[in-house]
Amino acid sequence: MDKILVRGGRPLTGSISISGAKNATLPVLAASLLTTGRLHLSNIPHLRDVTTMVELMGQHGSAITIDEKLGVEIDNSQITNFTAPYELVSTMRASILVMGPLLARYGQTEISLPGGCAIGSRPVNMHLDGLKAMGAEIDLTAGYIRARAKRLRGARFIFDPVTVTGTENLLMAATLAQGQTILENAAREPEVVDLAQCLTAMGAKIHGAGTSTLIIDGVDELSGCHHDIISDRIEAATFMIAAVLTKGNVHLTKVNVDTLRAPIDKLVAMGAQIEEIDDRTLRIQGNGTIEAIDLETSPYPGFPTDLQAQMLVLISLAKGTGVVTETVFENRFMHVSELQRMGANIRVRGNTAIVRGSPKLVGAPVMATDLRASASLVLAGLAAEGETLISRVYHIDRGYERIEEKLRALDADIQRISG
Ligand code: EPU
C-alpha cells in the first residue's frame, strides 16, 4: 500500500488549478442513466471514486469513453443489469446514487444496502422514504434494497434530516415521474445545483435549485447533453488552509469563489489574507499571526463537514483556543488521535473538539482513516517539524487529484512511496 512522506516547514508558494468536484461528478454520472441519449461531460477529475462509479455504470451496461482532452462520453442505450453489487457499494457509498435513476427509467433496481463507515452510521432512510412517497415498492432482503415502480408519481416530501445524496437521488427520480414533485428541506449544496443544471440541459423541468424547496415537473423522457462539472470547493479550501498553515502565498485558479464563502470568512477571521482576483481566482497569504476561532459544521451554506479535519490542524497551530463542533456526522473525529501523536492539543467531548493552539507540530508516522482525515494529516505534515509518514493514503486518492504533484508544484517537500 502506498504511503506519503512529507518533510514539513516549507511555505507553499506558486499557482495551481483546482479540479472538477468529486461530489458533483458522481451524481452527474448516475444521472446519465436517466436517458438513452449520449452525455458528454467535461472537467471530470481523475479520482478513485470516479473510477468506481464508472465501473459500477459499466456493469449496468453503460458504454463510457474517456478521453484526456475531450472528456467523458456516456452511451446508456444498452442498460441490461439493474443491480449495484455489495463489492462496489461497500467501497463507495455514493453508489446509492444509481438507485433513483434506475428506478425512474427502468422501473426496477437492486442496490446493496450501504453499511456504516469511518465517519458514522450514515443511514439511507430518507432516500427510501422519498421513493416510497413517489409510489415505489421497497423491500430489504439479504442486505439488498429491492425497489420496483411501474412509473414513479410526483409527491411532496420533506427531508429530515437534510441530506445531499438523498436530495440528489429524489431529484433525479422526480425528473421522469408522472406529475409534480415538491422536495422540501432539500440540500442547497453547489453540487446539487450542478446536478440540477445538468438535468435541465437534459430536458428536465426543475425550479428552485440552490434553495431548500425543489419543484420538479416530471417529463416522459430526457435526452443527452454536454455538461461541464463545477470546480471542487473542498479541494480548493484544503489548499487555502494549507497555504495559511505554511505561511505561504498561493494562487488558485479555476475555483468557484461564490461556493467558498464560509471557509473564506473563517480564514479571514483567523487572520489570513485572501484576495479575490476574480470570481474564478484567489490569492491566499498566511504570513501574520493566526488566531484560533470557534467553528460549527452544518449543511451548505454553513461550514462544510468535509473541511472540519483540515481546519482542526490550522486551529491546532493558531494562537488561543478554539471549539469545533461537528453537527453533520456523529463520528468524524478519527483524525484527532493521529494529530495528537504529532503534538496537537485537542480534547474531544461528544461532538465537540476543544483545540488549544500549540507553537508547533512534530512529524510522526500516522495513519489515514478516511478521505478528509487523510488530507488533514498531509496538511499537518506540511506544517510540522521533521518527517511525517502517512499510511493508508488510498483514502486520499478517492477525492484529491494528484495531491502530492499539486503540492510539489507549490514547492512542498512531499513524495509518494509505492508499496
Ligand atoms: N442521513 C440520515 N438519513 C438519510 C441520509 C442521511 O439520517 O437517509 C444523515 C447522515 O447520517 C448524516 C446527515 O444526514 O448525519 C448528512 O448526510 P448526507 O446524506 O448529507 O451525506 P451524504 O449525502 O452521504 C455527502 C457527501 C459527503 C459529505 C456529506 C455532507 C457525496 C458523494 N458525499 O454525503 O462527502 O460529507 O454529503 O456534506 O456527495 C467526502 O467527500 O469526503 C464526503 C464524505
Side-chain angles (χ1 to χ4, degrees):
M1 265 189 277
D2 289 5
K3 295 183 178 177
I4 285 183
L5 177 67
V6 191
R7 292 190 187 87
R10 284 161 83 137
L12 296 187
T13 48
S15 176
I16 49 160
S17 148
I18 296 303
S19 304
K22 165 178 85 79
N23 290 346
T25 304
L26 300 176
V28 163
L29 286 171
S32 72
L33 290 165
L34 289 162
T35 177
T36 48
R38 281 173 186 243
L39 249 74
H40 177 248
L41 305 175
S42 49
N43 205 26
I44 298 264
H46 297 245
L47 299 169
R48 200 163 63 95
D49 275 8
V50 173
T51 311
T52 305
M53 190 56 122
V54 166
E55 202 182 321
L56 175 61
M57 309 249 314
Q59 64 86 50
H60 290 310
S62 298
I64 303 185
T65 320
I66 302 173
D67 183 297
E68 287 292 321
K69 284 208 181 79
L70 301 174
V72 170
E73 194 163 273
I74 310 172
D75 175 350
N76 283 339
S77 54
Q78 307 291 333
I79 298 300
T80 48
N81 172 18
F82 310 108
T83 302
Y86 173 75
E87 297 69 47
L88 288 173
V89 180
S90 61
T91 60
M92 188 185 69
R93 297 177 49 86
S95 308
I96 191 88
L97 285 165
V98 299
M99 182 167 63
L102 285 175
L103 185 60
R105 177 74 182 76
Y106 298 98
Q108 55 171 314
T109 178
E110 278 187 37
I111 316 261
S112 172
L113 189 62
C117 71
I119 61 177
S121 65
R122 301 183 75 180
V124 290
N125 55 317
M126 286 297 107
H127 304 235
L128 304 185
D129 290 353
L131 291 173
K132 277 186 205 159
M134 295 171 77
E137 279 173 37
I138 295 186
D139 57 77
L140 304 177
T141 25
Y144 276 77
I145 305 163
R146 286 180 67 244
R148 298 276 180 283
K150 253 203 168 112
R151 183 166 182 195
L152 293 170
R153 45 173 200 270
R156 191 179 199 108
F157 185 74
I158 305 176
F159 291 100
D160 178 22
V162 54
T163 149
V164 176
T165 49
T167 301
E168 291 164 346
N169 236 334
L170 294 197
L171 170 63
M172 291 187 281
T175 58
L176 288 180
Q178 190 156 35
Q180 189 174 73
T181 300
I182 301 179
L183 300 176
E184 293 188 85
N185 199 25
R188 290 180 280 166
E189 269 66 6
E191 295 75 22
V192 177
V193 178
D194 197 56
L195 171 64
Q197 279 167 357
C198 176
L199 291 167
T200 303
M202 291 165 74
K205 303 271 174 266
I206 300 168
H207 300 278
T211 75
S212 54
T213 304
L214 293 172
I215 302 172
I216 306 112
D217 288 300
V219 295
D220 290 339
E221 59 177 16
L222 296 172
S223 58
C225 74
H226 169 257
H227 181 71
D228 192 52
I229 298 286
I230 193 177
S231 154
D232 195 316
R233 65 197 164 99
I234 305 299
E235 187 199 21
T238 300
F239 281 107
M240 290 164 71
I241 297 168
V244 181
L245 254 180
T246 60
K247 303 201 179 302
N249 183 347
V250 169
H251 195 253
L252 296 181
T253 61
K254 286 181 75 182
V255 297
N256 191 330
V257 175
D258 268 345
T259 65
L260 286 163
R261 292 293 162 206
I264 289 176
D265 286 356
K266 287 291 177 193
L267 290 174
V268 168
M270 293 180 84
Q273 289 162 43
I274 299 181
E275 186 191 345
E276 295 182 26
I277 296 171
D278 58 45
D279 58 358
R280 304 297 319 264
T281 321
L282 287 173
R283 175 180 296 286
I284 303 97
Q285 281 176 278
N287 44 17
T289 305
I290 297 300
E291 308 273 352
I293 43 142
D294 295 341
L295 187 80
E296 186 168 309
T297 63
S298 62
Y300 192 85
F303 193 87
T305 173
D306 291 344
L307 291 173
Q308 176 257 106
Q310 301 89 315
M311 282 299 275
L312 219 51
V313 178
L314 185 57
I315 302 173
S316 296
L317 284 167
K319 190 167 150 250
T321 298
V323 177
V324 175
T325 309
E326 172 57 62
T327 73
V328 180
F329 291 112
E330 78 260 30
N331 189 24
R332 214 176 192 181
F333 281 129
M334 302 272 278
H335 40 284
V336 167
S337 46
E338 300 302 294
L339 294 174
Q340 284 166 337
R341 301 186 58 249
M342 299 177 70
N345 186 344
I346 307 173
R347 254 186 325 135
V348 175
R349 291 283 174 273
N351 69 341
T352 297
I354 299 148
V355 192
R356 286 183 211 288
S358 328
K360 63 173 188 184
L361 295 177
V362 181
V366 287
M367 197 180 282
T369 49
D370 75 69
L371 165 57
R372 308 302 171 187
S374 39
S376 79
L377 297 175
V378 170
L379 262 50
L382 292 172
E385 254 179 39
E387 284 188 2
T388 299
L389 185 62
I390 304 152
S391 50
R392 301 206 179 159
V393 295
Y394 54 85
H395 289 292
I396 212 163
D397 298 328
R398 296 186 57 176
Y400 289 90
E401 191 173 49
R402 302 178 287 105
I403 193 165
E404 71 278 15
E405 284 178 36
K406 286 194 181 184
L407 285 168
R408 260 204 309 274
L410 295 176
D411 208 27
D413 186 344
I414 180 168
Q415 55 181 291
R416 183 178 289 256
I417 301 170
S418 303

